[in-house]
Amino acid sequence: MLVVDLSIFLNCDESAEEKERELSQELSRIQHEVAFNAARWERLQKEKRELVECFERELRELQVQQESELTTVEENLRLRHTSDRDYLRAEHQSEVEELRTQHQEQIEELTANHEAALEDLKTITKILHSFLLDLRKAHEQQKASLEEDFEKLRLSLQDVLAPYQHIEEDLKSLKEVLEMKNKQIHDQEKKICHLEKVAQKNLYLEERVQVLQQQNEDLMARIDRHLTVSRQLSEENANLQEYVEKETNEKKRLSRNNEELLWLLQTSPHLSPSSSPIHRAFFPARSSPARIPNANTFSR
């Protein structure tokens, strides 16, 4: 009985020593894994800090580059807008001066044509006046000749028809009728001459009115084209201003986004930069480190 108890006791001691060795080995392995995981954790934290610093540096460089590019684009747009505005203003001024010069030349030409027309009208008036004087002289000569012939005829008839006194009264009435007819003919000749002058003057004035209307229509068309060009210049200027404002607003928005990202990086230490879309865009995917053992590893 004592031998059996001793054997059991020895077996228990051996089992306890074996368990103690196993526990010592397990403890040593756990300490080794803890030291390995601590070193790995330190390395990961260092890599994280390096990635954050690299990301911030890249972000600052991109922000500086973006601001420089935006400043360059804005300056180019401003220079282009200024150049286009100066060019269009010079072209507009040139067209206005050209129109003013052409208008002045047309006014001078119209004035010269008007003065020439007045001179022509004076010449025609002189010619008509001379013609009317000649016509009046011929008419007076014809009238004097008729009166002389009539007087001769009257005297001869008076000698022949002396017994017939009433014929003299008829001749007197006839003479009055002839005088009235001559007066009517003379008045009609005056009216005809006046109407001819008025018709010629009206014809000339109608021609001048048509020419002036055509010139006026041409000037109105050119003024309309000039107004159309001015409206187009105003619209292009407004579009350029709107484009510059949009570029400025976009620059401000990007600056705000950059400031928000920097603030998030600075205020969120647990935020991993590798999970950011910006980081994935600028840094290639890296191989994932070895998986950290979970609690089940320590409980084995």
Side-chain angles (χ1 to χ4, degrees), residues 84-124:
D84 292 342
R85 183 183 59 190
D86 295 337
Y87 173 75
L88 293 174
R89 182 179 297 169
E91 186 177 1
H92 173 70
Q93 187 67 25
S94 176
E95 290 181 356
V96 169
E97 291 295 332
E98 184 179 357
L99 286 174
R100 184 181 292 109
T101 303
Q102 292 179 357
H103 184 65
Q104 185 66 28
E105 290 177 354
Q106 290 176 355
I107 290 175
E108 293 176 354
E109 183 180 358
L110 289 175
T111 303
N113 292 334
H114 179 68
E115 292 177 354
L118 289 176
E119 293 295 331
D120 293 339
L121 184 61
K122 290 179 181 179
T123 304
I124 293 171

Side-chain angles (χ1 to χ4, degrees), residues 117-172:
L118 289 176
E119 293 295 331
D120 293 339
L121 184 61
K122 290 179 181 179
T123 304
I124 293 171
T125 303
K126 291 179 180 179
I127 293 172
L128 289 175
H129 183 67
S130 176
F131 176 74
L132 289 175
L133 289 177
D134 295 338
L135 184 63
R136 185 178 291 109
K137 289 179 180 179
H139 180 70
E140 290 177 354
Q141 291 176 359
Q142 186 179 6
K143 181 180 178 181
S145 177
L146 288 173
E147 289 179 352
E148 185 178 357
D149 294 337
F150 179 75
E151 185 66 24
K152 290 178 180 179
L153 180 60
R154 187 183 66 79
L155 293 175
S156 61
L157 288 175
Q158 186 176 6
D159 294 336
V160 173
L161 300 174
Y164 306 98
Q165 295 297 327
H166 62 281
I167 293 177
E168 184 177 359
E169 294 177 358
D170 294 338
L171 291 174
K172 186 176 180 180

Side-chain angles (χ1 to χ4, degrees), residues 179-237:
E179 289 177 354
M180 291 176 61
K181 291 292 183 182
N182 289 329
K183 186 177 180 182
Q184 290 178 357
I185 292 171
H186 184 65
D187 293 338
Q188 288 179 355
E189 288 176 351
K190 286 183 178 180
K191 290 180 180 180
I192 289 170
C193 292
H194 179 69
L195 291 175
E196 287 178 352
K197 290 192 293 184
V198 171
Q200 291 177 354
K201 185 176 181 181
N202 289 335
L203 181 61
Y204 177 79
L205 291 175
E206 286 177 358
E207 292 176 354
R208 294 305 302 165
V209 166
Q210 291 178 357
V211 172
L212 291 174
Q213 286 179 350
Q214 184 63 37
Q215 292 176 352
N216 190 17
E217 290 176 358
D218 294 338
L219 286 175
M220 292 300 293
R222 298 182 72 174
I223 290 171
D224 291 338
R225 289 195 298 269
H226 175 67
L227 291 175
T228 302
V229 171
S230 297
R231 285 193 294 269
Q232 290 177 355
L233 293 178
S234 298
E235 291 177 358
E236 290 178 358
N237 191 8

Side-chain angles (χ1 to χ4, degrees), residues 4 8-9 32 88 101 115-116 130 141 152 177 218-219 245 247 267 279 295:
V4 173
I8 294 172
F9 179 75
H32 177 72
L88 293 174
T101 303
E115 292 177 354
S130 176
Q141 291 176 359
K152 290 178 180 179
V177 171
D218 294 338
L219 286 175
E245 290 179 359
E247 289 294 329
T267 57
H279 181 272

